[in-house]
Amino acid sequence: MAMWIQAQQLQGDALHQMQALYGQHFPIEVRHYLAQWIESQLWDSVELDNPAEETKAKRLLDNLVAELQKKAQVQGGEDGFLLKIKLGHYCVSVLLVQEATNASSGSGSQAMDTLSQRHQQINQAFEELRLATQETENELRKLQQSQEYFIIQYQENMRIQAQLSSLSSLAPTERTQRETTLQSKRATVEAWLAREASTLQKYRLDLAEQHQKTLGLLRKQQTVILDEELIQWKRRQQLAGNGGPNEGGLDVLQSWCEKLADLIWQNRQQIRRCEHLTQQLPLPGPMVELLSKLNADITDIISALVTSTFIIEKQPPQVLKTQTKFAATVCLLVGGKLNVHMNPPQVKAVIVSEQQAKALLKNESTHSESSGEILNNNCVMEYHQATGTLSAHFRNMSLKRIKRSDRRGAESVTEEKFTVLFESQFSIGGNELVFHVKTLSLPVVVIVHGSQDNNATATVLWDNAFAEPGRVPFIVPEKVLWPQLCEALDMKYKAEMHSGRGLSDDNLVFLAQKAFSSSSNNSDDYRSMTISWAQFNRESLPGRNFTFWQWFDGVVELMKKHLKPHWNDGAILGFVNKQQAQDMLMSKPNGTFLLRFSDSEIGGITIAWRLVWNLLPYTTKDFSIRSLADRISDLNHLLYLYPDRPKDEVFAKYYTPPLCMSKAVDGYVKPQIKQVVPEFTTPNPEPSAGATAFMDQTASPSVTHPNNFNVYPPMADGMLDPDGDFDLEDTMDVARHVEELLRRPMANQWNSQQS
């Protein structure tokens, strides 16, 4: 821990360099709270280039996660609660990194090496800039001293000239003697002034050349940070809207931008001082024009930095419902360094259309037009001294109304894109420079009803996945390669499931078959195929009244609301069609079943098993009444989850504990709801000759029932729908019938059945 204690004593550039080492990949909080444990580990004992050391490295990582979890659990108090959440988040992040590393250790290591190398190059460039700026500062001081001495000598020459002019009042002999001396002295001074003027001019030109080189380095470094690193962060932020990894904090980027701002401002001040020296002592030559160009260049550089670092840290929701509260956060990464917080600026938010956004970027619109009205859309930027950030937190915005434009062709309201424009105005350097900054949010789709959400989400997903940096708002390709869409769907699915188990190759083949109405089982057949936006979410699937996306989104909603644990346990195959399910179960023992998503029902899942191929699909409504695990428990004919896992081994931990049957205080017995499949004639898994099977709560599926008391009316063969699915819509009616039976005297029940 001694090393970390020493690190806490660092100041200035050394502190910034240390901070730059930490970020999204290894937060500085982890280093702080686990300092003692980290410094006690033998990190150097792991040879990074030796594959045999992988086990040792994995053990270290596992121990790190365990220590983090332990530290998170012991936090208490108000601040401790927040820290507990934060450390818990870091645990999840480390586990995800570990999982990704396990999946692709080679590529993961290579990516981290590339990231580290890139950061090292940026830090080296900053060191080069710091030295160059220090060098020009030293040269400027030398120039200033030389010029001050030149001015002193120039004044001395003027004094000699004045003395010569006053000699006329002296006697001729004395005048001649003093005149000779003064003229000799003047000649010497003037010769020195001539030589020194030439030297000063050379100093000035050399210094201007050095400033030009420094400005070139500043432009190059700024391009790397703003056009590469910041753009990549914004791209990660956009993909995070589709469920991609979190874009990461802004601490490293802010540190870089603040270093840039500091260096740019130092160079600007140096150029201003050069201008002052030139005005103080005008000399023949091109210095005035050179300094004017340098001043314009440095102003352009700092303007680009300020306007580019006014960014949206937390995006507004991309599916935005009217009359609903939403939040957003904007920040100025260089606000603290440039002392903008000394006069905190106000930020305004307005919603604009796609066409208005295009006009803004082309500078065709001098004032901000609006396509709607946002309540609570003004916020003053706040300075956070601990982090040095200047930000505005819009916490209670609400879109009161929206003004839509004329739609093109088949475009629906959920395909129309808007954006939230944030703008502010402030000055730096004592009103030397005034900036009017603007930034646009990611595309927003405005809805007025929850039923529009799935189509709006499709528009957002397509835009986030396939938008290119620097595009004209908000142009996206009309067609993309199928593997590109697969990547986007897999990202979305894994995020909603909160799991590393995404869509397998077989799942993606199933989706391709659905999207392209194809029967090919070969994934290579789809690699070069393109899918259009119309195929994705405008045209209905053949024979259905819903689109490909609507079907997929229905699956995602069902899974994340009710079935997420079962997917993560591997209990749901899901992406299997009827014929595939039959083929898979055909060779299995009776009572083997699997769970697949319905082809005909949005957000439906069905049970297929050897006795009956498909039950009518369950939906969210069904699972809000009784869970999937309990429904599977209710059906005793279900024995093995495909391929051969006993169902209780998979689902027992999710069963609802049985209710106590003792009488309540008011004397009533609470009825239980259980799923049954009404009587049908089909053999049991191990049938006895001539036996009739029931899907009820029997002791064993092999037990037969020679007598039928007709508690439930017999079902005709027409109970199957045209697709071969069982209609279970009467399940709750049966339950209510059971409840009614419980209320009647038992004698009356038997009498009515026998009559």
Short mmCIF file of all heavy atoms in Angstrom, two decimals, residues 503-550:
data_model
loop_
_atom_site.label_atom_id
_atom_site.label_comp_id
_atom_site.label_asym_id
_atom_site.label_seq_id
_atom_site.Cartn_x
_atom_site.Cartn_y
_atom_site.Cartn_z
N LEU A 503 -27.20 -15.12 -29.31
CA LEU A 503 -27.80 -15.91 -30.38
C LEU A 503 -26.73 -16.78 -31.02
O LEU A 503 -25.72 -16.28 -31.51
CB LEU A 503 -28.43 -14.98 -31.42
CG LEU A 503 -29.52 -14.03 -30.89
CD1 LEU A 503 -29.96 -13.07 -31.98
CD2 LEU A 503 -30.71 -14.82 -30.36
N SER A 504 -26.96 -18.07 -31.02
CA SER A 504 -26.01 -19.01 -31.62
C SER A 504 -26.14 -19.00 -33.13
O SER A 504 -27.05 -18.39 -33.70
CB SER A 504 -26.28 -20.43 -31.09
OG SER A 504 -27.54 -20.89 -31.57
N ASP A 505 -25.23 -19.69 -33.80
CA ASP A 505 -25.29 -19.79 -35.27
C ASP A 505 -26.61 -20.43 -35.71
O ASP A 505 -27.21 -20.00 -36.70
CB ASP A 505 -24.11 -20.61 -35.79
CG ASP A 505 -22.79 -19.84 -35.68
OD1 ASP A 505 -22.85 -18.60 -35.52
OD2 ASP A 505 -21.72 -20.48 -35.74
N ASP A 506 -27.06 -21.45 -34.96
CA ASP A 506 -28.33 -22.09 -35.31
C ASP A 506 -29.50 -21.13 -35.14
O ASP A 506 -30.43 -21.12 -35.94
CB ASP A 506 -28.54 -23.34 -34.43
CG ASP A 506 -27.60 -24.47 -34.80
OD1 ASP A 506 -27.07 -24.45 -35.93
OD2 ASP A 506 -27.39 -25.36 -33.96
N ASN A 507 -29.44 -20.32 -34.07
CA ASN A 507 -30.50 -19.32 -33.87
C ASN A 507 -30.55 -18.34 -35.03
O ASN A 507 -31.62 -17.97 -35.52
CB ASN A 507 -30.25 -18.53 -32.57
CG ASN A 507 -30.28 -19.40 -31.33
OD1 ASN A 507 -29.69 -19.03 -30.30
ND2 ASN A 507 -30.92 -20.55 -31.39
N LEU A 508 -29.36 -17.92 -35.48
CA LEU A 508 -29.29 -16.94 -36.57
C LEU A 508 -29.74 -17.54 -37.90
O LEU A 508 -30.33 -16.84 -38.73
CB LEU A 508 -27.86 -16.38 -36.67
CG LEU A 508 -27.39 -15.57 -35.45
CD1 LEU A 508 -25.92 -15.21 -35.56
CD2 LEU A 508 -28.24 -14.32 -35.28
N VAL A 509 -29.47 -18.82 -38.09
CA VAL A 509 -29.99 -19.49 -39.29
C VAL A 509 -31.51 -19.51 -39.26
O VAL A 509 -32.18 -19.25 -40.27
CB VAL A 509 -29.41 -20.92 -39.40
CG1 VAL A 509 -30.18 -21.73 -40.46
CG2 VAL A 509 -27.93 -20.87 -39.77
N PHE A 510 -32.07 -19.82 -38.09
CA PHE A 510 -33.53 -19.80 -37.94
C PHE A 510 -34.09 -18.42 -38.30
O PHE A 510 -35.09 -18.30 -39.01
CB PHE A 510 -33.89 -20.17 -36.50
CG PHE A 510 -35.35 -20.00 -36.18
CD1 PHE A 510 -36.26 -21.02 -36.40
CD2 PHE A 510 -35.83 -18.80 -35.65
CE1 PHE A 510 -37.61 -20.86 -36.10
CE2 PHE A 510 -37.17 -18.63 -35.35
CZ PHE A 510 -38.06 -19.66 -35.58
N LEU A 511 -33.45 -17.37 -37.79
CA LEU A 511 -33.91 -16.00 -38.07
C LEU A 511 -33.77 -15.68 -39.56
O LEU A 511 -34.62 -14.99 -40.14
CB LEU A 511 -33.12 -15.00 -37.23
CG LEU A 511 -33.38 -15.04 -35.73
CD1 LEU A 511 -32.43 -14.11 -34.99
CD2 LEU A 511 -34.84 -14.66 -35.42
N ALA A 512 -32.69 -16.15 -40.18
CA ALA A 512 -32.52 -15.92 -41.62
C ALA A 512 -33.62 -16.61 -42.41
O ALA A 512 -34.16 -16.05 -43.39
CB ALA A 512 -31.14 -16.42 -42.06
N GLN A 513 -33.96 -17.83 -42.01
CA GLN A 513 -35.05 -18.54 -42.69
C GLN A 513 -36.34 -17.75 -42.59
O GLN A 513 -37.11 -17.66 -43.55
CB GLN A 513 -35.22 -19.93 -42.08
CG GLN A 513 -34.06 -20.88 -42.36
CD GLN A 513 -34.18 -22.19 -41.58
OE1 GLN A 513 -34.85 -22.25 -40.55
NE2 GLN A 513 -33.52 -23.23 -42.07
N LYS A 514 -36.57 -17.16 -41.43
CA LYS A 514 -37.80 -16.39 -41.23
C LYS A 514 -37.76 -15.10 -42.05
O LYS A 514 -38.75 -14.72 -42.68
CB LYS A 514 -37.98 -16.08 -39.74
CG LYS A 514 -39.28 -15.37 -39.40
CD LYS A 514 -39.46 -15.25 -37.90
CE LYS A 514 -39.78 -16.59 -37.28
NZ LYS A 514 -41.13 -17.09 -37.65
N ALA A 515 -36.60 -14.41 -42.04
CA ALA A 515 -36.50 -13.12 -42.72
C ALA A 515 -36.58 -13.27 -44.24
O ALA A 515 -37.17 -12.43 -44.92
CB ALA A 515 -35.20 -12.43 -42.33
N PHE A 516 -35.96 -14.33 -44.76
CA PHE A 516 -35.88 -14.49 -46.22
C PHE A 516 -36.83 -15.55 -46.76
O PHE A 516 -36.78 -15.86 -47.96
CB PHE A 516 -34.44 -14.86 -46.61
CG PHE A 516 -33.42 -13.81 -46.25
CD1 PHE A 516 -32.45 -14.06 -45.29
CD2 PHE A 516 -33.44 -12.57 -46.86
CE1 PHE A 516 -31.51 -13.11 -44.95
CE2 PHE A 516 -32.50 -11.59 -46.53
CZ PHE A 516 -31.53 -11.87 -45.58
N SER A 517 -37.68 -16.13 -45.88
CA SER A 517 -38.60 -17.20 -46.30
C SER A 517 -37.82 -18.31 -47.01
O SER A 517 -38.17 -18.78 -48.10
CB SER A 517 -39.69 -16.65 -47.22
OG SER A 517 -40.43 -15.66 -46.58
N SER A 518 -36.73 -18.72 -46.37
CA SER A 518 -35.83 -19.71 -46.95
C SER A 518 -35.88 -20.99 -46.14
O SER A 518 -36.25 -20.99 -44.96
CB SER A 518 -34.41 -19.15 -46.99
OG SER A 518 -33.47 -20.15 -47.32
N SER A 519 -35.48 -22.09 -46.76
CA SER A 519 -35.44 -23.37 -46.06
C SER A 519 -34.02 -23.87 -45.85
O SER A 519 -33.81 -24.94 -45.29
CB SER A 519 -36.24 -24.42 -46.85
OG SER A 519 -35.69 -24.57 -48.16
N SER A 520 -33.02 -23.09 -46.30
CA SER A 520 -31.63 -23.53 -46.20
C SER A 520 -31.18 -23.52 -44.74
O SER A 520 -31.43 -22.57 -44.00
CB SER A 520 -30.72 -22.62 -47.02
OG SER A 520 -29.37 -22.94 -46.78
N ASN A 521 -30.48 -24.58 -44.35
CA ASN A 521 -29.93 -24.68 -43.00
C ASN A 521 -28.45 -24.33 -42.95
O ASN A 521 -27.81 -24.47 -41.91
CB ASN A 521 -30.12 -26.09 -42.44
CG ASN A 521 -31.58 -26.41 -42.17
OD1 ASN A 521 -32.31 -25.55 -41.67
ND2 ASN A 521 -32.01 -27.62 -42.50
N ASN A 522 -27.91 -23.88 -44.07
CA ASN A 522 -26.49 -23.57 -44.17
C ASN A 522 -26.28 -22.08 -43.94
O ASN A 522 -26.75 -21.25 -44.72
CB ASN A 522 -25.96 -23.98 -45.55
CG ASN A 522 -24.45 -23.87 -45.64
OD1 ASN A 522 -23.80 -23.32 -44.75
ND2 ASN A 522 -23.88 -24.39 -46.72
N SER A 523 -25.56 -21.73 -42.88
CA SER A 523 -25.35 -20.32 -42.56
C SER A 523 -24.57 -19.59 -43.64
O SER A 523 -24.73 -18.37 -43.83
CB SER A 523 -24.63 -20.18 -41.22
OG SER A 523 -23.37 -20.82 -41.27
N ASP A 524 -23.70 -20.32 -44.36
CA ASP A 524 -22.91 -19.68 -45.41
C ASP A 524 -23.78 -19.14 -46.54
O ASP A 524 -23.37 -18.21 -47.24
CB ASP A 524 -21.89 -20.67 -46.00
CG ASP A 524 -20.81 -21.04 -44.99
OD1 ASP A 524 -20.57 -20.21 -44.08
OD2 ASP A 524 -20.23 -22.13 -45.10
N ASP A 525 -24.97 -19.71 -46.71
CA ASP A 525 -25.85 -19.25 -47.79
C ASP A 525 -26.35 -17.83 -47.54
O ASP A 525 -26.81 -17.15 -48.47
CB ASP A 525 -27.06 -20.19 -47.92
CG ASP A 525 -26.66 -21.57 -48.43
OD1 ASP A 525 -25.54 -21.69 -48.97
OD2 ASP A 525 -27.46 -22.52 -48.27
N TYR A 526 -26.27 -17.38 -46.28
CA TYR A 526 -26.84 -16.07 -45.95
C TYR A 526 -25.78 -14.97 -45.77
O TYR A 526 -26.13 -13.81 -45.61
CB TYR A 526 -27.66 -16.18 -44.66
CG TYR A 526 -28.76 -17.21 -44.72
CD1 TYR A 526 -28.64 -18.43 -44.06
CD2 TYR A 526 -29.93 -16.97 -45.46
CE1 TYR A 526 -29.64 -19.38 -44.12
CE2 TYR A 526 -30.94 -17.92 -45.52
CZ TYR A 526 -30.79 -19.12 -44.85
OH TYR A 526 -31.79 -20.07 -44.92
N ARG A 527 -24.50 -15.38 -45.81
CA ARG A 527 -23.44 -14.41 -45.49
C ARG A 527 -23.40 -13.23 -46.45
O ARG A 527 -23.09 -12.11 -46.06
CB ARG A 527 -22.08 -15.10 -45.45
CG ARG A 527 -21.95 -16.10 -44.32
CD ARG A 527 -20.52 -16.57 -44.13
NE ARG A 527 -20.45 -17.64 -43.15
CZ ARG A 527 -20.49 -17.47 -41.84
NH1 ARG A 527 -20.63 -16.25 -41.36
NH2 ARG A 527 -20.40 -18.49 -41.01
N SER A 528 -23.67 -13.47 -47.70
CA SER A 528 -23.57 -12.40 -48.69
C SER A 528 -24.94 -11.79 -49.02
O SER A 528 -25.03 -10.91 -49.87
CB SER A 528 -22.92 -12.92 -49.98
OG SER A 528 -23.68 -13.99 -50.51
N MET A 529 -25.98 -12.25 -48.35
CA MET A 529 -27.32 -11.73 -48.62
C MET A 529 -27.53 -10.40 -47.90
O MET A 529 -26.96 -10.16 -46.84
CB MET A 529 -28.39 -12.74 -48.19
CG MET A 529 -28.38 -14.01 -49.02
SD MET A 529 -29.67 -15.19 -48.52
CE MET A 529 -31.14 -14.33 -49.05
N THR A 530 -28.34 -9.54 -48.49
CA THR A 530 -28.66 -8.26 -47.86
C THR A 530 -30.13 -8.27 -47.44
O THR A 530 -30.97 -8.92 -48.06
CB THR A 530 -28.43 -7.09 -48.83
OG1 THR A 530 -29.24 -7.26 -49.99
CG2 THR A 530 -26.97 -6.99 -49.21
N ILE A 531 -30.38 -7.53 -46.37
CA ILE A 531 -31.75 -7.37 -45.90
C ILE A 531 -32.08 -5.89 -45.90
O ILE A 531 -31.27 -5.07 -45.46
CB ILE A 531 -31.96 -7.99 -44.50
CG1 ILE A 531 -33.42 -7.86 -44.05
CG2 ILE A 531 -31.01 -7.41 -43.47
CD1 ILE A 531 -33.77 -8.70 -42.83
N SER A 532 -33.22 -5.53 -46.39
CA SER A 532 -33.61 -4.13 -46.49
C SER A 532 -34.41 -3.71 -45.25
O SER A 532 -34.91 -4.55 -44.50
CB SER A 532 -34.44 -3.89 -47.75
OG SER A 532 -35.69 -4.55 -47.63
N TRP A 533 -34.52 -2.39 -45.09
CA TRP A 533 -35.35 -1.88 -43.99
C TRP A 533 -36.79 -2.35 -44.15
O TRP A 533 -37.45 -2.68 -43.16
CB TRP A 533 -35.28 -0.36 -43.96
CG TRP A 533 -36.36 0.25 -43.11
CD1 TRP A 533 -37.47 0.92 -43.54
CD2 TRP A 533 -36.46 0.22 -41.68
NE1 TRP A 533 -38.25 1.30 -42.47
CE2 TRP A 533 -37.65 0.89 -41.32
CE3 TRP A 533 -35.66 -0.31 -40.68
CZ2 TRP A 533 -38.05 1.04 -40.00
CZ3 TRP A 533 -36.07 -0.16 -39.36
CH2 TRP A 533 -37.24 0.50 -39.02
N ALA A 534 -37.27 -2.40 -45.39
CA ALA A 534 -38.65 -2.84 -45.62
C ALA A 534 -38.83 -4.28 -45.16
O ALA A 534 -39.84 -4.62 -44.52
CB ALA A 534 -38.99 -2.70 -47.10
N GLN A 535 -37.86 -5.16 -45.44
CA GLN A 535 -37.95 -6.54 -44.99
C GLN A 535 -37.86 -6.63 -43.47
O GLN A 535 -38.45 -7.52 -42.86
CB GLN A 535 -36.82 -7.38 -45.61
CG GLN A 535 -36.97 -7.66 -47.09
CD GLN A 535 -35.73 -8.33 -47.64
OE1 GLN A 535 -34.68 -7.71 -47.75
NE2 GLN A 535 -35.86 -9.61 -47.99
N PHE A 536 -37.12 -5.70 -42.89
CA PHE A 536 -36.89 -5.73 -41.44
C PHE A 536 -38.13 -5.31 -40.67
O PHE A 536 -38.54 -6.00 -39.74
CB PHE A 536 -35.71 -4.82 -41.10
CG PHE A 536 -35.37 -4.78 -39.65
CD1 PHE A 536 -34.87 -5.90 -39.00
CD2 PHE A 536 -35.52 -3.61 -38.91
CE1 PHE A 536 -34.54 -5.87 -37.65
CE2 PHE A 536 -35.20 -3.56 -37.56
CZ PHE A 536 -34.70 -4.69 -36.94
N ASN A 537 -38.75 -4.18 -41.09
CA ASN A 537 -39.89 -3.73 -40.28
C ASN A 537 -40.88 -2.87 -41.05
O ASN A 537 -41.43 -1.92 -40.50
CB ASN A 537 -39.40 -2.94 -39.05
CG ASN A 537 -40.49 -2.75 -38.03
OD1 ASN A 537 -41.20 -3.69 -37.70
ND2 ASN A 537 -40.66 -1.53 -37.53
N ARG A 538 -41.11 -3.21 -42.30
CA ARG A 538 -42.18 -2.51 -43.01
C ARG A 538 -43.14 -3.49 -43.66
O ARG A 538 -44.35 -3.32 -43.63
CB ARG A 538 -41.58 -1.55 -44.06
CG ARG A 538 -42.60 -0.63 -44.69
CD ARG A 538 -41.95 0.35 -45.66
NE ARG A 538 -41.22 1.41 -44.98
CZ ARG A 538 -40.40 2.25 -45.60
NH1 ARG A 538 -40.19 2.13 -46.90
NH2 ARG A 538 -39.78 3.19 -44.92
N GLU A 539 -42.58 -4.56 -44.22
CA GLU A 539 -43.40 -5.57 -44.89
C GLU A 539 -43.66 -6.73 -43.94
O GLU A 539 -42.75 -7.20 -43.24
CB GLU A 539 -42.70 -6.08 -46.15
CG GLU A 539 -42.41 -4.98 -47.17
CD GLU A 539 -41.46 -5.45 -48.25
OE1 GLU A 539 -40.93 -6.59 -48.12
OE2 GLU A 539 -41.23 -4.69 -49.21
N SER A 540 -44.91 -7.23 -43.93
CA SER A 540 -45.26 -8.36 -43.06
C SER A 540 -44.62 -9.64 -43.58
O SER A 540 -44.37 -9.80 -44.78
CB SER A 540 -46.77 -8.53 -43.00
OG SER A 540 -47.38 -7.42 -42.38
N LEU A 541 -44.34 -10.55 -42.66
CA LEU A 541 -43.83 -11.87 -43.05
C LEU A 541 -44.90 -12.61 -43.84
O LEU A 541 -46.11 -12.39 -43.62
CB LEU A 541 -43.45 -12.67 -41.80
CG LEU A 541 -42.24 -12.15 -41.01
CD1 LEU A 541 -42.12 -12.91 -39.69
CD2 LEU A 541 -40.96 -12.28 -41.82
N PRO A 542 -44.52 -13.48 -44.76
CA PRO A 542 -45.51 -14.21 -45.57
C PRO A 542 -46.53 -14.95 -44.70
O PRO A 542 -46.16 -15.68 -43.77
CB PRO A 542 -44.65 -15.20 -46.37
CG PRO A 542 -43.30 -14.56 -46.44
CD PRO A 542 -43.14 -13.82 -45.15
N GLY A 543 -47.81 -14.72 -44.96
CA GLY A 543 -48.87 -15.39 -44.25
C GLY A 543 -49.11 -14.88 -42.84
O GLY A 543 -49.90 -15.46 -42.09
N ARG A 544 -48.44 -13.78 -42.45
CA ARG A 544 -48.61 -13.23 -41.10
C ARG A 544 -49.02 -11.77 -41.20
O ARG A 544 -48.90 -11.14 -42.25
CB ARG A 544 -47.30 -13.33 -40.30
CG ARG A 544 -46.70 -14.72 -40.25
CD ARG A 544 -47.59 -15.71 -39.54
NE ARG A 544 -46.99 -17.04 -39.44
CZ ARG A 544 -47.64 -18.12 -39.10
NH1 ARG A 544 -48.94 -18.06 -38.81
NH2 ARG A 544 -47.02 -19.30 -39.04
N ASN A 545 -49.45 -11.23 -40.09
CA ASN A 545 -49.83 -9.82 -40.06
C ASN A 545 -48.86 -9.00 -39.22
O ASN A 545 -49.21 -7.99 -38.62
CB ASN A 545 -51.25 -9.65 -39.51
CG ASN A 545 -51.39 -10.18 -38.09
OD1 ASN A 545 -50.46 -10.79 -37.56
ND2 ASN A 545 -52.53 -9.94 -37.48
N PHE A 546 -47.61 -9.48 -39.14
CA PHE A 546 -46.57 -8.76 -38.41
C PHE A 546 -45.25 -8.88 -39.15
O PHE A 546 -45.06 -9.77 -39.99
CB PHE A 546 -46.43 -9.28 -36.97
CG PHE A 546 -46.34 -10.79 -36.87
CD1 PHE A 546 -45.15 -11.46 -37.12
CD2 PHE A 546 -47.45 -11.54 -36.51
CE1 PHE A 546 -45.07 -12.83 -37.02
CE2 PHE A 546 -47.38 -12.92 -36.40
CZ PHE A 546 -46.19 -13.57 -36.66
N THR A 547 -44.33 -7.97 -38.83
CA THR A 547 -43.04 -7.93 -39.51
C THR A 547 -42.01 -8.80 -38.80
O THR A 547 -42.25 -9.29 -37.69
CB THR A 547 -42.50 -6.49 -39.56
OG1 THR A 547 -42.21 -6.06 -38.21
CG2 THR A 547 -43.50 -5.53 -40.20
N PHE A 548 -40.86 -8.95 -39.44
CA PHE A 548 -39.76 -9.72 -38.84
C PHE A 548 -39.38 -9.12 -37.50
O PHE A 548 -39.25 -9.83 -36.50
CB PHE A 548 -38.55 -9.72 -39.78
CG PHE A 548 -37.30 -10.30 -39.18
CD1 PHE A 548 -37.09 -11.67 -39.18
CD2 PHE A 548 -36.33 -9.48 -38.60
CE1 PHE A 548 -35.94 -12.22 -38.61
CE2 PHE A 548 -35.19 -10.01 -38.03
CZ PHE A 548 -34.99 -11.38 -38.04
N TRP A 549 -39.17 -7.79 -37.43
CA TRP A 549 -38.77 -7.17 -36.18
C TRP A 549 -39.84 -7.31 -35.11
O TRP A 549 -39.53 -7.57 -33.94
CB TRP A 549 -38.44 -5.69 -36.39
CG TRP A 549 -38.40 -4.95 -35.08
CD1 TRP A 549 -39.34 -4.12 -34.56
CD2 TRP A 549 -37.36 -5.05 -34.09
NE1 TRP A 549 -38.96 -3.68 -33.31
CE2 TRP A 549 -37.75 -4.23 -32.99
CE3 TRP A 549 -36.16 -5.74 -34.01
CZ2 TRP A 549 -36.97 -4.09 -31.86
CZ3 TRP A 549 -35.37 -5.60 -32.86
CH2 TRP A 549 -35.78 -4.78 -31.81
N GLN A 550 -41.10 -7.14 -35.47
CA GLN A 550 -42.17 -7.24 -34.49
C GLN A 550 -42.19 -8.62 -33.84
O GLN A 550 -42.42 -8.76 -32.64
CB GLN A 550 -43.52 -6.92 -35.13
CG GLN A 550 -43.69 -5.44 -35.47
CD GLN A 550 -44.87 -5.17 -36.38
OE1 GLN A 550 -45.50 -6.10 -36.92
NE2 GLN A 550 -45.19 -3.91 -36.59
#
